[in-house]
Amino acid sequence: MWTRMLQGGIAFPPGTSLPGVRNKVSEACNRTSSIPMLAHKRNRSYIYMKCKNRVLNSKCAGEEKRVGTRTVFVGHRPVSETDAYIEQKFCDNRIVSSKYTVWNFLPKNLFEQFRRIANFYFLIIFLVQVIVDTPTSPITSGLPLFFVIIVTAIKQGYEDWLRHRADKEVNKSSVFIVENAKQVKKHSEKIKVGDVVEVKADETFPCDLIFLASSNDDGICYVTTASLDGESNFKTHYAVRDTIGLRTDDDIDSLTATIECEQPQSDLYKFVGRINIYRSNQEPVARSLGPESLLLKGSTLKNTKKIYGVAVYTGMETKMALNYQGKSQKRSAVEKSINAFLMVYLCILVSKATVCTTLKYVWQSNPFNDEPWYNQKTKKERDAFKILRMFTDFLSFMVLFNFIIPVSMYVTVEMQKFLGSFFIAWDKEMYDEEIQEGALVNTSDLNEELGQVEYVFTDKTGTLTENSMKFIECCIDGHKYSSRMSEVDGFSHTDGPMTYYGKALKCREELFLRALCLCHTVQIKEGDNVDGLIVNQECSTYISSSPDEIALVKGAKKYGFTFLGHENDFMKVQNQKNEIEKYRLLHVLNFDPVRRRMSVIVKTSAGKFLLFCKGADSSIFPRVQQDEIQQTKVHVERNAMDGYRTLCVAFKELTQEDYKKIDGQLSEAKMALQDREEKMARIFDDIETDMHLIGATAVEDRLQEHAAETIEALQTAGMKVWVLTGDKMETAKSTCYASRLFQTNTELLELTAKTMGDSNRKEDRLHELLLEYHKKLLQDFSKNSGKLKRSWTVSQEYGLIVDGSTLSLILNPSQDSSSSNYKSIFLQICLKCAAVLCCRMAPLQKAQIVKMVKNTKGNPITLSVGDGANDVSMILEAHVGIGIKGKEGRQAARNSDYAVPRFKHLRKLLLGHGHLYYVRIAHLVQYFFYKNLCFILPQFLYQFFCGFSQQPLYDAAYLTMYNICFTSLPILAYSLLEQHINIETLTSDPRLYILYPLICLCYCPTNLWRMDTFLK
Amino acid sequence: MAAASPCAEPAGRNKPDNTAFTQQRLPAWQPLLSAGTALPLFFCVGLACLALGLGLHFSSGTIRELELDYTGAPGSGHSCSRCANASRAAGAGAGACTCSLRFELPERFPGPVCLYYQLSNYYQNHRRYSVSRDNRQLSGDAAGLRSPATECSPFRTDPRGLPIAPCGAIANSRFNDTFALYHLANGTFHRVPLDNRGISWWTDSNIKFSNPALLNGTLEATFKGTAKPPNWPQAAYLLDSNPNNTGFINEDFIVWMRIAALPTFRKLYRRVREGNFSSGLPQGTYCLNITYNYPVLSFQGTKKVIFSTVSWMGGKNPFLGIVYLVFGSACILTGFVMLAVHIKFQQQNQMDVE
């Protein structure tokens, strides 16, 4: 469970980028990526690098491995007279997200459009018609092509115009730059690296700034990065300590400093730099700069009057711009089958032309057929080479029959997808009252994939469960305190004992509660009245990137200890006696998914140094006194069995000397320019040892409404549901039972650390287990397959549980053993199990699992659903990615193809909309090919009656209009509105989902008949 | 982010519209085919088709038709063989040769009787042939008359360079056999008057085809400076003595210029609707005098003359009636089969449901 905490803020799966960075620019981009009509460029990056300086261009592009650092002169002031001031060249601060300019629009757009095979094909046909004497006039194929090209160009041009407008808005917005102690108003695009910029409250930062000073005395400013990563909590940024005092333009102007920092990189949460401040007659002072003093372009200044910052990354080198990469485009399986169809039709076309050409020359071998007296050739025709004539004839036949290739199909299909996706966004049933939002469609390309899903990979927390944590109970020194029975404070001595089973010492209780109140990163978001720190007011709430922390702080409050917020460096806690205790917050040892714990070091008012640490049991137990573990361990395990999320809390008292040492080490590590993270992690590890365990907490995460019914429906619909979670096995298992993923009669096969046994024989044990399970399943499977191929009730269902460490053992086995086929055996086991639970998964492992299933035989369509940043990798990996608009930020929703408010909406999305769109698009595509075959077959047969002379059977106007309007518009309406089965019926009877895909692509009405009778 | 308690916000901000369209609840109807609806449908459609088929079949049956082949293929002993041989020897544009054909009309042909000629193995639909005309010229355009379209070649200009009017292969190969019909009554042959008016499409003779504007009041002056098509014996303005039926608006010419879709085709030549024969051709012996000009043997074609009466459905067409009859009986047959299946399995189905 710990992996989830703070993930939004800090833990970011390595290797995943943050695509949907949102500001004006990327919003325009997002808009376009949600309208993917005709946009079939492979490379969909909308941000094009444009740097004035050609030499630096390659650096700007962010492709080359950057070497070294960049040096920025604050305010362009040279450091000293001796050092010559060398002007370094950087990008200007212009954002270019548009693709075209007025001048290159035509050639560039045409080039891109003609890269599509169908368009190129028609261009060739058109040219043939112009050059060679062909039966139909060039207009017949030129006009449809022209129509398609124009429609696409208008659409793309319009989108690009929007992007231009958004760019202009950003680039021309005015900013204030401090030059020679005066504020100069400039356009945002004019900012150069090294400029000192002033930003006022509620303005967005125009580029990446190093935070020099703020209007607050303590050099703190609050920032919200909602437009960057979707977290709307205020983040605190700290100014460089030595420049805090520079609060006026004159002061800023007096600053002489250089900043050395790494070359731009895209990770939003990483920054390493150093500022050297030169004062007259003194040695320069060097200070380390971390992400806490970097203000990112795109984030907004809050609750701070103004700040000064020096631009370090500008324009296309800002982290926001580097982060906006187009999503790798997912292609629908239907499109692949369309291409296959097209190839078949091309073959038909060529063979028809060949047959006709051959027969023509056979027929013409009779001279009276070739040239009867009434129909003489011109001299030119007689003189032409026979081979050339034959080739021309072949081309003519191609032109004559080319209407078999449906030119307008792509346009119609994309129109259908684009317009059809509105019905998903409009769906009232997928609207959630609580978050006031409905479904969101980011990619309309995949509507029909929703109707063919075979594997569903779901995250647990926030997806199956509510992710609204409720503090349930805690245990202190092995004594259980439960707040479940009553809402009254059953804790304080004055109220008398209510619901605790045995009692710990009072001082331990208080220590535990103080630990809960202090060891977190929760902030208080005030309502409209800023000065009053009244926590319980309606609009004054705790905010944090992790709901667990809020639950804990609220839990502590219930027992009388209320966290009142930060004041400068102090954390204020109101204790049971309504006294306010102040603790000086010295260090926060942030959470990261590797350590799976976080710590704070505080100084009490009595001058004691305390370290509080909380984290997953597995990461805390080895670091505390061994004799304390036992009692607590029992509680933790029992809580986990009940499906609660557990955390252990430990503390340690530090002596003055210890603290000084630690402080020194930490500052040193923070100053480090290289490998800062590793150094920090090492020091954290050293600090968090020999602690004393105080207790553990249990937090409940309720199942989402209708989650169980939805899972059941998905399983009935023939989908295999896999739960991939970072949670503990016991917790996840109980959730699986609660959500009816595992039935009571499901036989569980476990591949976990528990069943693996001790570390030496792991591989052998794994081998044994795998073989055993495989055998078991095979026997069972062969027994069953004899009876019915697709029976909905299998006599014995199997569920598989696998954990992260075992999975990595399976996927990355050591070299020596004969274990190379572990993966395939494991996969076979997985595929035969009705439900699979993967717990303790790292984000990348989730993606690995999805990839593994995706690439199995038959290439099943996979769907991933998740709500947090840790699900992004699997959402991007699966064929269809669904984001839940959850409480852990919007990253999942932004990276997904579809986002819905709740898990239960999956039912209608898949069984209703997905099913309908699958059937609709199948009909649409098949109709297109059918009608063109029908259209051109008489043309072909007529050649037998007109002496193979390429005489067209149809009038030119009819040929032209047939494809672009007569036959494409009616089917478009049909494919948007058709409901072969009522939506209510579809969602209420999930079995239809399996039945239909079987017959869809070889669709014929008799099956419909069969299904209707089945329905009755 | 995780907000512990959400602040109050205006409700229903992004709420989708609750309309029948956006919620995909538009009124719809889907035919659920069951035995109760499908079987009557089959029987009804079947019966309707049978009725229509019978009607078509009988009205096609009442149409009288007589075909006379006058190709005169060598060795056929036909009276026109001589002319056929002569035309073959001379090629296109051979001199006039006449032959006559005596035939019996076994029953009375009620009027109006149409006289068609039919050519076979003649590819009027050949692309090179079908484009070889200049519609602008034929519509009476003065410029078109002087400079015909390039599609007309090799019949665009004569060897002297004069533009051919009318240009092109279609016009050049105009059907130029003529027929005269005699009825044997009381031992003497009476000429049967043949009406050549109104044999072309109205749009053709009134809109698509018209003569160029007269110069000095004569068509001859207008056509001066143009050449006749090489196969024609005389220029276009000499096609008929009637000024309203000569030049480009000669109806025989217009009929020929509307090309046929298939290599075996009939074209209307004359109608019998005047004089004593306005009520039809009586039973008896007739003699057809043919001016045999048109060579067909070179491309293994045949020539026929056809006498046919007409009904409300046009000429004789047994196929349409047969198709309806076959389809109708297939429907009824299927209906019966499904009825049998329905009766046989109904019981079982009900048991399954229970």
Side-chain angles (χ1 to χ4, degrees):
Chain A
M1 91 203 80
W2 237 153
T3 46
R4 311 192 57 81
M5 295 195 62
L6 299 168
Q7 238 145 17
I10 287 102
F12 220 74
T16 52
S17 55
L18 273 169
V21 176
R22 186 175 286 184
N23 72 334
K24 293 246 165 72
V25 177
S26 53
E27 241 166 14
C29 304
N30 284 345
R31 220 176 296 137
T32 55
S33 59
S34 66
I35 313 171
M37 277 178 65
L38 299 177
H40 273 260
K41 300 128 290 187
R42 284 269 157 73
N43 175 5
R44 243 209 208 182
S45 90
Y46 284 115
I47 304 247
Y48 286 78
M49 301 301 168
K50 256 195 191 171
C51 290
K52 276 186 179 167
N53 192 300
R54 289 207 162 214
V55 185
L56 257 139
N57 225 343
S58 59
K59 277 189 185 172
C60 297
E63 281 160 6
E64 281 176 24
K65 187 83 188 161
R66 280 164 236 278
V67 268
T69 57
R70 60 163 60 178
T71 309
V72 177
F73 295 89
V74 177
H76 310 288
R77 281 181 289 278
V79 170
S80 63
E81 289 74 19
T82 50
D83 293 343
Y85 172 51
I86 308 152
E87 176 123 26
Q88 274 178 294
K89 304 247 172 157
F90 300 110
C91 283
D92 62 5
N93 196 31
R94 213 169 55 183
I95 288 284
V96 182
S97 66
S98 55
K99 251 166 91 178
Y100 307 112
T101 63
V102 176
W103 309 112
N104 72 7
F105 177 74
L106 205 63
K108 201 168 167 183
N109 186 268
L110 285 184
F111 174 72
E112 275 173 10
Q113 290 205 43
F114 283 118
R115 286 205 308 199
R116 294 182 77 172
I117 291 197
N119 287 348
F120 187 69
Y121 168 78
F122 274 92
L123 180 70
I124 294 292
I125 290 291
F126 176 69
L127 291 180
V128 166
Q129 281 183 312
V130 170
I131 296 163
V132 182
D133 167 43
T134 54
T136 52
S137 85
I139 293 172
T140 54
S141 65
L143 198 66
L145 181 68
F146 186 69
F147 171 76
V148 168
I149 297 283
I150 286 288
V151 166
T152 314
I154 287 176
K155 187 187 138 277
Q156 291 181 349
Y158 174 70
E159 281 166 7
D160 206 56
W161 179 71
L162 288 181
R163 266 177 249 139
H164 267 289
R165 219 173 51 168
D167 284 355
K168 202 172 162 188
E169 205 174 309
V170 171
N171 290 333
K172 300 285 179 201
S173 64
S174 49
V175 292
F176 290 97
I177 295 173
V178 180
E179 270 176 13
N180 302 325
K182 265 185 235 122
Q183 282 194 10
V184 185
K185 191 173 169 180
K186 278 188 177 178
H187 286 315
S188 165
E189 61 182 356
K190 295 282 194 293
I191 296 178
K192 291 192 288 293
V193 170
D195 280 346
V196 178
V197 181
E198 189 203 71
V199 181
K200 296 199 176 65
D202 297 324
E203 285 179 354
T204 47
F205 300 110
C207 57
D208 290 354
L209 302 169
I210 290 292
F211 183 18
L212 292 179
S214 83
S215 56
N216 295 356
D217 296 340
D218 46 11
I220 285 179
C221 75
Y222 300 97
V223 157
T224 167
T225 52
S227 55
L228 278 172
D229 56 12
E231 293 172 25
S232 60
N233 57 327
F234 292 172
K235 296 202 177 100
T236 317
H237 284 254
Y238 303 93
V240 180
R241 231 175 291 167
D242 305 72
T243 56
I244 288 173
L246 310 172
R247 250 171 263 141
T248 62
D249 298 339
D250 296 317
D251 290 343
I252 284 289
D253 203 48
S254 66
L255 175 71
T256 311
T258 59
I259 293 168
E260 285 169 59
C261 56
E262 54 188 356
Q263 291 292 357
Q265 61 153 339
S266 57
D267 192 330
L268 283 182
Y269 306 109
K270 276 194 186 137
F271 175 73
V272 181
R274 185 166 55 196
I275 184 166
N276 299 311
I277 299 163
Y278 300 86
R279 296 203 178 98
S280 48
N281 314 323
Q282 276 178 32
E283 274 296 297
V285 189
R287 293 282 172 208
S288 79
L289 300 172
E292 71 281 349
S293 43
L294 183 72
L295 305 170
L296 299 178
K297 179 186 173 87
S299 47
T300 313
L301 185 66
K302 291 282 180 190
N303 280 6
T304 314
K305 272 191 198 119
K306 63 170 187 179
I307 62 111
Y308 289 108
V310 55
V312 282
Y313 304 130
T314 49
M316 305 311 291
E317 291 186 336
T318 55
K319 286 187 183 286
M320 189 200 76
L322 290 177
N323 258 301
Y324 190 80
Q325 299 149 348
K327 266 184 258 176
S328 67
Q329 204 193 347
K330 292 180 182 175
R331 285 190 156 224
S332 143
V334 165
E335 197 165 315
K336 284 171 205 152
S337 68
I338 288 177
N339 284 340
F341 265 127
L342 272 183
M343 287 319 291
V344 171
Y345 270 58
L346 209 63
C347 292
I348 295 178
L349 172 66
V350 170
S351 53
K352 272 185 179 177
T354 317
V355 165
C356 281
T357 316
T358 318
L359 288 178
K360 175 174 181 158
Y361 281 88
V362 170
W363 187 76
Q364 281 184 354
S365 58
N366 275 332
F368 61 82
N369 280 337
D370 185 24
E371 197 178 359
W373 64 265
Y374 58 84
N375 186 13
Q376 286 166 14
K377 294 178 183 173
T378 57
K379 193 165 178 299
K380 210 170 98 192
E381 280 170 328
R382 273 189 212 125
D383 293 346
F385 285 116
K386 193 164 186 186
I387 301 295
L388 192 69
R389 261 190 298 156
M390 285 173 89
F391 182 66
T392 325
D393 278 326
F394 178 77
L395 284 183
S396 296
F397 279 118
M398 289 277 283
V399 168
L400 188 67
F401 299 142
N402 93 77
F403 294 92
I404 200 170
I405 308 288
V407 62
S408 60
M409 187 176 67
Y410 282 106
V411 184
T412 313
V413 164
E414 274 170 28
M415 290 274 277
Q416 189 263 353
K417 287 179 171 187
F418 172 64
L419 297 176
S421 63
F422 282 110
F423 281 117
I424 295 178
W426 281 337
D427 196 324
K428 190 165 55 86
E429 282 172 40
M430 295 205 278
Y431 176 79
D432 189 71
E433 293 289 346
E434 199 178 305
I435 62 166
Q436 312 255 333
E437 269 178 78
L440 171 79
V441 181
N442 291 328
T443 321
S444 59
D445 261 348
L446 303 170
N447 289 348
E448 72 285 346
E449 302 264 289
L450 293 172
Q452 315 167 65
V453 175
E454 285 173 62
Y455 286 90
V456 173
F457 300 95
T458 165
D459 177 43
K460 188 180 81 72
T461 315
T463 308
L464 289 178
T465 61
E466 286 280 4
N467 204 13
S468 70
M469 304 298 162
K470 217 171 129 197
F471 185 81
I472 295 295
E473 59 178 44
C474 58
C475 95
I476 303 170
D477 283 344
H479 302 285
K480 183 175 161 193
Y481 294 81
S482 175
S483 64
R484 219 181 199 176
M485 313 295 175
S486 72
E487 291 297 312
V488 190
D489 286 359
F491 212 94
S492 81
H493 282 279
T494 50
D495 289 354
M498 295 283 286
T499 49
Y500 55 91
Y501 309 82
K503 203 166 46 171
L505 291 171
K506 169 121 172 107
C507 64
R508 298 290 282 181
E509 282 175 10
E510 290 189 345
L511 183 67
F512 178 77
L513 292 174
R514 285 195 183 104
L516 291 190
C517 282
L518 295 172
C519 184
H520 56 72
T521 54
V522 174
Q523 284 166 354
I524 290 191
K525 184 184 179 185
E526 291 123 35
D528 292 330
N529 55 344
V530 184
D531 25 24
L533 270 180
I534 309 146
V535 180
N536 238 346
Q537 281 213 331
E538 224 172 285
C539 267
S540 170
T541 52
Y542 291 122
I543 48 175
S544 163
S545 48
S546 150
D548 296 62
E549 292 197 325
I550 293 174
L552 292 181
V553 173
K554 283 182 143 184
K557 187 171 149 191
K558 211 180 262 175
Y559 291 128
F561 277 78
T562 312
F563 171 62
L564 292 177
H566 294 264
E567 196 179 87
N568 298 337
D569 277 352
F570 291 95
M571 292 174 95
K572 293 197 296 184
V573 175
Q574 190 176 28
N575 67 12
Q576 284 170 335
K577 293 175 195 124
N578 280 337
E579 294 161 357
I580 290 182
E581 300 172 11
K582 278 192 177 182
Y583 296 88
R584 191 185 179 91
L585 180 62
L586 299 169
H587 286 285
V588 177
L589 280 55
N590 273 328
F591 175 83
D592 68 64
V594 183
R595 274 164 56 232
R596 299 163 64 79
R597 59 180 181 269
M598 71 157 288
S599 307
V600 292
I601 299 175
V602 295
K603 189 179 170 189
T604 62
S605 41
K608 277 201 286 186
F609 293 93
L610 289 176
L611 176 137
F612 291 108
C613 179
K614 69 172 181 203
D617 51 280
S618 58
S619 63
I620 295 282
F621 284 161
R623 306 184 160 267
V624 297
Q625 309 293 336
Q626 291 305 306
D627 50 320
E628 294 166 347
I629 295 177
Q630 209 45 47
Q631 324 155 305
T632 311
K633 199 171 184 177
V634 181
H635 282 281
V636 170
E637 278 174 2
R638 208 195 46 239
N639 284 335
M641 290 292 282
D642 290 341
Y644 300 143
R645 298 153 71 89
T646 57
L647 283 180
C648 291
V649 182
F651 92 107
K652 178 179 174 181
E653 205 174 325
L654 301 169
T655 60
Q656 182 93 26
E657 294 78 50
D658 281 343
Y659 174 70
K660 269 200 178 140
K661 201 177 121 206
I662 289 168
D663 190 40
Q665 282 175 332
L666 282 174
S667 314
E668 192 187 323
K670 275 185 188 170
M671 290 294 286
L673 265 182
Q674 310 262 301
D675 306 329
R676 186 188 284 178
E677 327 269 285
E678 284 165 42
K679 281 179 188 159
M680 300 277 273
R682 220 176 300 138
I683 291 163
F684 289 172
D685 258 6
D686 288 345
I687 298 171
E688 291 161 337
T689 47
D690 297 328
M691 297 181 292
H692 301 278
L693 189 64
I694 327 174
T697 59
V699 169
E700 189 196 20
D701 190 5
R702 259 188 313 129
L703 265 192
Q704 274 196 12
E705 191 191 357
H706 296 309
E709 287 87 341
T710 310
I711 289 214
E712 217 166 32
L714 295 184
Q715 283 188 327
T716 322
M719 286 174 245
K720 292 193 170 173
V721 182
W722 294 27
V723 174
L724 312 181
T725 176
D727 238 347
K728 246 197 307 264
M729 187 188 113
E730 289 79 13
T731 320
K733 205 158 99 182
S734 64
T735 312
C736 286
Y737 274 114
S739 59
R740 285 181 236 162
L741 187 68
F742 294 154
Q743 316 284 341
T744 39
N745 62 344
T746 307
E747 191 180 333
L748 293 182
L749 313 173
E750 291 189 15
L751 282 174
T752 54
K754 216 188 271 173
T755 53
M756 280 304 115
D758 66 89
S759 53
N760 299 334
R761 292 186 51 252
K762 260 189 186 165
E763 297 245 325
D764 302 335
R765 178 84 184 120
L766 176 68
H767 192 70
E768 278 169 36
L769 275 175
L770 281 174
L771 287 181
E772 186 195 321
Y773 292 158
H774 189 232
K775 218 166 115 190
K776 203 182 212 170
L777 282 166
L778 266 189
Q779 282 172 350
D780 210 66
F781 201 71
S782 55
K783 246 192 293 168
N784 277 328
S785 61
K787 292 180 212 158
L788 250 175
K789 277 216 164 168
R790 260 181 185 263
S791 60
W792 291 301
T793 48
V794 185
S795 56
Q796 175 66 59
E797 280 194 350
Y798 289 97
L800 180 74
I801 302 179
V802 65
D803 67 1
S805 55
T806 319
L807 186 75
S808 65
L809 202 64
I810 292 167
L811 297 181
N812 319 304
S814 53
Q815 309 295 310
D816 54 310
S817 56
S818 57
S819 52
S820 52
N821 59 345
Y822 279 0
K823 197 173 162 183
S824 66
I825 299 177
F826 172 69
L827 193 61
Q828 285 177 33
I829 295 174
C830 284
L831 298 184
K832 278 170 192 154
C833 284
V836 178
L837 164 65
C838 303
C839 41
R840 292 284 191 225
M841 289 282 132
L844 274 184
Q845 278 184 314
K846 291 185 177 183
Q848 258 181 323
I849 293 253
V850 175
K851 194 172 185 177
M852 190 177 77
V853 174
K854 201 167 99 174
N855 295 332
T856 52
K857 210 175 70 187
N859 296 323
I861 306 278
T862 55
L863 177 142
S864 293
V865 49
D867 72 318
N870 58 342
D871 305 315
V872 170
S873 54
M874 79 171 177
I875 284 176
L876 291 176
E877 181 66 46
H879 289 102
V880 188
I882 310 267
I884 303 284
K885 295 178 173 177
K887 294 180 172 148
E888 291 191 38
R890 283 295 164 88
Q891 281 176 41
R894 193 163 306 127
N895 287 293
S896 62
D897 304 308
Y898 300 88
V900 289
R902 319 283 287 178
F903 184 72
K904 65 174 180 185
H905 296 136
L906 219 54
R907 184 179 184 136
K908 187 160 188 203
L909 188 66
L910 297 188
L911 303 184
H913 291 289
H915 189 146
L916 282 181
Y917 279 113
Y918 181 38
V919 175
R920 285 168 180 174
I921 200 105
H923 286 188
L924 175 68
V925 171
Q926 286 167 11
Y927 173 78
F928 255 90
F929 284 106
Y930 161 76
K931 74 173 173 71
N932 279 28
L933 194 66
C934 281
F935 184 54
I936 229 65
L937 193 65
Q939 182 88 274
F940 172 68
L941 293 177
Y942 186 59
Q943 298 309 307
F944 290 82
F945 294 93
C946 68
F948 305 100
S949 61
Q950 302 117 26
Q951 175 73 11
L953 186 58
Y954 305 109
D955 187 71
Y958 189 53
L959 279 174
T960 314
M961 305 304 282
Y962 182 83
N963 266 327
I964 56 176
C965 58
F966 293 162
T967 55
S968 70
L969 296 182
I971 189 69
L972 179 64
Y974 170 91
S975 64
L976 283 173
L977 304 172
E978 164 70 359
Q979 293 178 26
H980 62 291
I981 303 175
N982 201 313
I983 295 189
E984 274 80 52
T985 320
L986 281 177
T987 44
S988 60
D989 194 345
R991 282 175 302 169
L992 294 170
Y993 193 83
I994 353 176
L995 269 178
Y996 221 79
L998 285 179
I999 56 178
C1000 213
L1001 277 175
C1002 50
Y1003 173 76
C1004 56
T1006 51
N1007 285 316
L1008 232 175
W1009 178 296
R1010 197 193 72 197
M1011 207 168 58
D1012 290 334
T1013 51
F1014 163 79
L1015 273 177
K1016 281 180 218 150
Chain B
M1 70 141 190
S5 74
C7 294
E9 289 208 43
R13 197 160 31 110
N14 304 315
K15 190 158 184 161
D17 295 341
N18 185 12
T19 61
F21 175 66
T22 55
Q23 301 307 315
Q24 306 200 57
R25 280 188 277 103
L26 287 175
W29 175 74
Q30 187 179 26
L32 271 183
L33 298 175
S34 64
T37 53
L39 288 180
L41 198 71
F42 266 90
F43 287 120
C44 288
V45 169
L47 286 174
C49 286
L50 274 187
L52 203 60
L54 284 175
L56 286 170
H57 188 72
F58 282 115
S59 50
S60 173
T62 57
I63 293 169
R64 306 278 167 266
E65 203 178 83
L66 182 76
E67 288 189 7
L68 300 170
D69 191 319
Y70 73 100
T71 318
S76 66
H78 198 278
S79 62
C80 291
S81 293
R82 181 180 50 84
C83 288
N85 278 334
S87 77
R88 180 140 77 169
C97 165
T98 55
C99 59
S100 65
L101 211 59
R102 205 183 158 105
F103 62 97
E104 292 287 325
L105 210 58
E107 56 186 328
R108 197 181 83 86
F109 274 27
V113 178
C114 295
L115 179 56
Y116 300 94
Y117 59 91
Q118 173 177 324
L119 298 177
S120 68
N121 206 22
Y122 192 103
Y123 286 85
Q124 260 205 320
N125 57 8
H126 196 281
R127 190 164 69 87
R128 189 172 59 219
Y129 183 80
S130 62
V131 298
S132 183
R133 61 192 286 163
D134 184 356
N135 284 326
R136 205 161 64 106
Q137 189 187 51
L138 295 173
S139 68
D141 188 87
L145 186 70
R146 303 288 159 196
S147 55
T150 49
E151 281 85 10
C152 282
S153 54
F155 303 105
R156 188 168 168 268
T157 53
D158 75 344
R160 288 169 299 164
L162 288 178
I164 294 176
C167 77
I170 308 178
N172 182 47
S173 58
R174 189 181 83 98
F175 185 76
N176 56 358
D177 283 3
T178 57
F179 308 101
L181 186 64
Y182 296 92
H183 179 226
L184 183 68
N186 310 324
T188 52
F189 281 103
H190 300 277
R191 190 180 172 118
V192 179
L194 299 176
D195 184 10
N196 68 348
R197 283 169 297 130
I199 55 171
S200 62
W201 289 24
W202 187 89
T203 43
D204 280 358
S205 50
N206 289 284
I207 293 159
K208 282 188 81 176
F209 290 77
S210 66
N211 278 328
L214 298 183
L215 281 178
N216 306 328
T218 61
L219 210 52
E220 189 180 353
T222 313
F223 274 80
K224 199 163 185 199
T226 63
K228 70 174 178 63
N231 284 359
W232 286 23
Q234 76 280 69
Y237 55 87
L238 295 173
L239 278 175
D240 200 294
S241 52
N242 179 358
N244 291 328
N245 194 29
T246 191
F248 295 154
I249 54 170
N250 179 276
E251 290 213 45
D252 284 325
F253 173 67
I254 293 174
V255 166
W256 179 254
M257 290 304 282
R258 178 155 287 277
I259 55 169
L262 293 171
T264 299
F265 57 89
R266 287 176 184 181
K267 283 181 186 293
L268 185 57
Y269 182 69
R270 294 289 185 266
R271 281 199 191 86
V272 182
R273 57 181 178 189
E274 287 175 332
N276 297 333
F277 300 92
S278 55
S279 63
L281 290 177
Q283 183 190 12
T285 308
Y286 291 84
C287 181
L288 188 69
N289 273 357
I290 301 159
T291 321
Y292 196 115
N293 295 321
Y294 210 70
V296 292
L297 286 179
S298 64
F299 53 87
Q300 297 184 342
T302 59
K303 295 199 282 190
K304 280 178 183 173
V305 170
I306 290 136
F307 294 92
S308 172
T309 62
V310 287
S311 72
W312 59 271
M313 59 172 285
K316 200 176 181 74
N317 186 359
F319 181 74
L320 197 59
I322 290 169
V323 165
Y324 270 106
L325 287 176
V326 168
F327 182 75
S329 20
C331 263
I332 288 175
L333 196 69
T334 322
F336 275 118
V337 169
M338 290 201 301
L339 186 65
V341 171
H342 177 61
I343 291 168
K344 185 146 187 270
F345 291 100
Q346 195 180 25
Q347 222 84 38
Q348 203 178 327
N349 209 7
Q350 271 169 357
M351 263 159 29
D352 283 354
V353 170
E354 280 156 19

